Amino acid sequence: MSNVATTNQDQRGGGIATWPARVTEYFDGLRDEMRLVTWPAWKQVRATTIVVIAAVFLFAAYFAVVDELVGLGIEKLFKTFSA
């Protein structure tokens, strides 16, 4: 069974011996890709952050109201059938 594992590692590009070179290659590629990223302006980041925070609070309020209404409805239903 260890021969199968060794064969699979060899087919993927080596084992422990090539690990440092593969890690260095990965980070070099990562650095190159990060240089190509177009970052948003600070004004856009602030605006979208405000929209996200407002949406979170609006959804929280909506779900609180729905939860309360459903809870009251279930409570009324239980009182109707248990009395």
Side-chain angles (χ1 to χ4, degrees):
M1 187 152 206
S2 65
N3 290 339
V4 173
T6 304
T7 304
N8 288 340
Q9 286 178 352
D10 291 340
Q11 290 174 353
R12 285 184 283 151
I16 301 265
T18 61
W19 180 79
R22 288 186 291 150
V23 170
T24 301
E25 182 181 341
Y26 170 78
F27 281 110
D28 287 343
L30 179 66
R31 187 179 331 110
D32 292 341
E33 287 297 321
M34 291 302 287
R35 287 184 181 139
L36 299 175
V37 173
T38 303
W39 298 99
W42 178 245
K43 185 177 181 180
Q44 185 180 5
V45 171
R46 276 194 319 233
T48 54
T49 301
I50 290 170
V51 168
V52 168
I53 291 172
V56 166
F57 280 106
L58 288 173
F59 277 112
Y62 170 76
F63 285 121
V65 169
V66 169
D67 181 51
E68 188 65 28
L69 292 174
V70 169
L72 290 172
I74 290 174
E75 187 177 323
K76 185 174 181 178
L77 186 68
F78 282 156
K79 284 183 181 178
T80 302
F81 287 113
S82 67

